[in-house]
């Protein structure tokens, strides 16, 4: 099943069980909320979780939401982490309970994957000094014949230090060669697939937990990870959603596998962010976008600084916009990428010249970093990049 069919199967399954499909929202949350980007399918539903107005589409919802997570940035390039991804979700707004959600989840997963019980493992909340262990979820997994492990920190989901939260139960699938070994807590080859949060608390910010006015269920499953399993490929980059990227980029820029993945991930993320109206800048969302593009350019130019984002085929931009249901002009996106590339090239040239005055092995103090930023417009992270680049060059000279 390709991405389209898998999404239809997921949404159709929940529609048959009384859920309404909600439209995916922008990566940019409305208003001045505390989060920069939508990072979970439940973000747009926050007003309906706690005694707000009833959701216009009812108490049972399902949908596909684009999400961005900067917390996983250092892991991008491995088999399963992405900066921007699509999350399939189902929600009970004060309607059915957590065990019902797990039973449906299991039914759908076995429908999609075939009878793969042997490759599944669940985890449930083990309890802490405020909330007891999640025995209802544990019993449900036992009934379904799925092995289950109690974990504590990993099985508590929250949006941040304040706001709605609750214990979660996660479903993992075995991605290793040969028969499954260990458990999600002991073996990383268990990959988290689907998270079911029993969202029934709120943190006001003073360490206490208060019950929400209604118990909700919030589930989320990364579409790209699901495709990795259904399409039987060892990484998200080999699924159909990345196929055009991974077939074009090696011939175009040809760096190693890990670099290719990072470039594909960051460019795809940048296109979606721009598609949602963000422009590169030195603060907030615009700065996240700028950092993503600078990372791409740093990797591209490491081997050959004549490589240019201007060579990116417009078909890759179009493919990405179509996947995320966005309607921005692809040529405009390419112009924004090229403009950002020009600015970065100027900054790098200036940076190298300024840093050259300090001599090899120099480590800036916080005051020097601030001086470089204020006087020369060189942000601290760019200085770090340039010093790393200088260190790598001298190491490779020494190694020759
Ligand atoms: N909010 C949970 C998550 O992001 C489940 O959707 O994992």
């Amino acid at each position: 099943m390709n991405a389209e069919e898998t999404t239809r199967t997921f949404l159709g399954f929940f529609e048959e069980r009384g859920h309404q499909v909600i439209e995916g929202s922008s990566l940019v949350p409305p208003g001045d909320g505390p989060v920069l980007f939508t990072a979970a399918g439940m973000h747009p539903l926050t007003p309906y979780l706690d005694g707000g107005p009833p959701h216009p589409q009812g108490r049972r919802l399902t949908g596909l939401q684009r999400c961005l997570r900067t917390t996983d940035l250092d892991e991008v390039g491995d088999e399963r982490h992405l900066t921007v991804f699509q999350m399939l979700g189902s929600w009970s707004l004060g309607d059915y309970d957590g065990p019902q959600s797990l039973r449906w989840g299991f039914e759908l997963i076995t429908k999609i994957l075939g009878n793969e019980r042997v490759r599944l493992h669940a985890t449930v909340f083990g309890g802490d000094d405020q909330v007891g262990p999640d025995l209802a979820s544990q019993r449900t997994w036992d009934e379904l014949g799925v092995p289950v492990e109690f974990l504590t920190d990993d099985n508590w989901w929250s949006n941040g230090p304040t706001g709605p939260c609750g214990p979660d139960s996660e479903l993992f699938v075995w991605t290793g060669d040969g028969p499954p070994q260990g458990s999600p807590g002991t073996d990383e080859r268990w990959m988290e697939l689907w998270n079911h949060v029993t969202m029934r608390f709120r943190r006001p910010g003073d360490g206490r937990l208060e019950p929400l006015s209604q118990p909700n269920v919030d589930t989320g499953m990364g579409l790209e990870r699901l495709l990795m399993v259904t399409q039987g490929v060892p990484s998200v980059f080999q699924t159909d959603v990345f196929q055009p990227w991974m077939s074009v980029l090696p011939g175009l820029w040809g760096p190693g596998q890990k670099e290719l993945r990072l470039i594909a991930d960051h460019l795809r993320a940048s296109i979606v962010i721009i598609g949602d109206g963000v422009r590169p800048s030195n603060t907030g969302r615009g700065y996240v976008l700028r950092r993503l593009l600078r990372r791409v350019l740093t990797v591209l130019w490491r081997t050959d600084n004549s490589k240019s984002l201007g060579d990116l085929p417009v078909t890759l931009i179009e493919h990405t916009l179509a996947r995320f249901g966005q309607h921005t002009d692809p040529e405009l996106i390419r112009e924004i990428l090229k403009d950002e590339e020009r600015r970065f090239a100027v900054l790098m040239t200036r940076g190298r010249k300024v840093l050259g005055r300090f001599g090899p092995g120099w480590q800036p103090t916080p005051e020097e970093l601030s001086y470089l930023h204020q006087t020369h417009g060189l942000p601290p992270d760019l200085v770090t990049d340039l010093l790393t680049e200088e260190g790598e060059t001298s190491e490779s000279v020494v190694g020759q």
Side-chain angles (χ1 to χ4, degrees), residues 39-40 42 69 87 157 195 197 218-220:
M42 53 70 66
R69 290 193 180 169
M87 196 188 267
W157 199 88
N195 189 9
V197 185
D218 151 45
T219 88

Short mmCIF file of all heavy atoms in Angstrom, two decimals, residues 39-40 42 69 87 157 195 197 218-220, ligand 1:
data_model
loop_
_atom_site.label_atom_id
_atom_site.label_comp_id
_atom_site.label_asym_id
_atom_site.label_seq_id
_atom_site.Cartn_x
_atom_site.Cartn_y
_atom_site.Cartn_z
N ALA A 39 3.38 20.20 16.70
CA ALA A 39 4.30 19.06 16.86
C ALA A 39 3.55 17.77 17.12
O ALA A 39 4.15 16.71 17.26
CB ALA A 39 5.27 19.34 18.01
N ALA A 40 2.22 17.85 17.21
CA ALA A 40 1.42 16.63 17.45
C ALA A 40 0.03 16.85 16.88
O ALA A 40 -0.45 18.00 16.81
CB ALA A 40 1.33 16.34 18.95
N MET A 42 -2.70 16.39 18.16
CA MET A 42 -3.69 16.93 19.09
C MET A 42 -3.60 18.45 19.28
O MET A 42 -4.52 19.05 19.81
CB MET A 42 -3.63 16.23 20.46
CG MET A 42 -2.30 16.16 21.15
SD MET A 42 -1.64 17.72 21.77
CE MET A 42 -2.84 18.11 23.04
N ARG A 69 9.09 18.49 14.43
CA ARG A 69 9.75 18.32 15.72
C ARG A 69 11.22 18.66 15.62
O ARG A 69 11.96 18.01 14.88
CB ARG A 69 9.60 16.88 16.22
CG ARG A 69 8.17 16.61 16.63
CD ARG A 69 7.97 15.36 17.42
NE ARG A 69 6.55 15.25 17.74
CZ ARG A 69 5.96 14.19 18.25
NH1 ARG A 69 6.68 13.12 18.51
NH2 ARG A 69 4.67 14.19 18.50
N MET A 87 1.22 12.80 10.75
CA MET A 87 0.77 11.94 11.84
C MET A 87 -0.70 11.57 11.65
O MET A 87 -1.57 12.44 11.55
CB MET A 87 0.95 12.65 13.18
CG MET A 87 0.88 11.71 14.36
SD MET A 87 0.87 12.57 15.93
CE MET A 87 2.59 12.59 16.32
N TRP A 157 2.75 11.29 28.49
CA TRP A 157 2.80 12.24 27.38
C TRP A 157 2.32 13.60 27.83
O TRP A 157 1.27 13.72 28.47
CB TRP A 157 1.95 11.79 26.20
CG TRP A 157 2.37 12.51 24.94
CD1 TRP A 157 3.34 12.11 24.07
CD2 TRP A 157 1.88 13.75 24.45
NE1 TRP A 157 3.48 13.04 23.07
CE2 TRP A 157 2.60 14.06 23.26
CE3 TRP A 157 0.91 14.65 24.88
CZ2 TRP A 157 2.38 15.21 22.52
CZ3 TRP A 157 0.69 15.81 24.13
CH2 TRP A 157 1.41 16.08 22.97
N ASN A 195 1.06 5.72 19.38
CA ASN A 195 0.96 6.14 20.76
C ASN A 195 -0.51 6.45 21.12
O ASN A 195 -1.14 7.24 20.42
CB ASN A 195 1.83 7.39 20.96
CG ASN A 195 1.97 7.78 22.41
OD1 ASN A 195 1.56 7.03 23.29
ND2 ASN A 195 2.55 8.94 22.66
N VAL A 197 -2.66 8.03 24.04
CA VAL A 197 -2.56 8.78 25.29
C VAL A 197 -3.95 8.87 25.93
O VAL A 197 -4.91 9.28 25.27
CB VAL A 197 -2.06 10.23 25.05
CG1 VAL A 197 -1.84 10.94 26.39
CG2 VAL A 197 -0.81 10.24 24.20
N ASP A 218 -6.11 10.41 22.89
CA ASP A 218 -5.42 11.08 21.78
C ASP A 218 -4.40 10.09 21.23
O ASP A 218 -3.50 9.68 21.95
CB ASP A 218 -4.73 12.32 22.34
CG ASP A 218 -3.48 12.72 21.57
OD1 ASP A 218 -3.54 12.71 20.33
OD2 ASP A 218 -2.46 13.03 22.21
N THR A 219 -4.58 9.66 19.99
CA THR A 219 -3.59 8.72 19.46
C THR A 219 -2.87 9.32 18.26
O THR A 219 -3.42 10.14 17.53
CB THR A 219 -4.21 7.36 19.04
OG1 THR A 219 -4.66 7.44 17.68
CG2 THR A 219 -5.33 6.93 19.96
N GLY A 220 -1.63 8.89 18.08
CA GLY A 220 -0.85 9.40 16.94
C GLY A 220 0.12 8.35 16.43
O GLY A 220 0.78 7.66 17.22
N1 LIG B 1 0.02 13.29 21.27
C1 LIG B 1 0.62 11.99 21.15
C2 LIG B 1 1.91 12.01 20.39
O1 LIG B 1 2.24 13.01 19.80
C3 LIG B 1 -0.34 11.03 20.50
O2 LIG B 1 -0.88 11.61 19.37
O3 LIG B 1 2.58 11.03 20.36
#
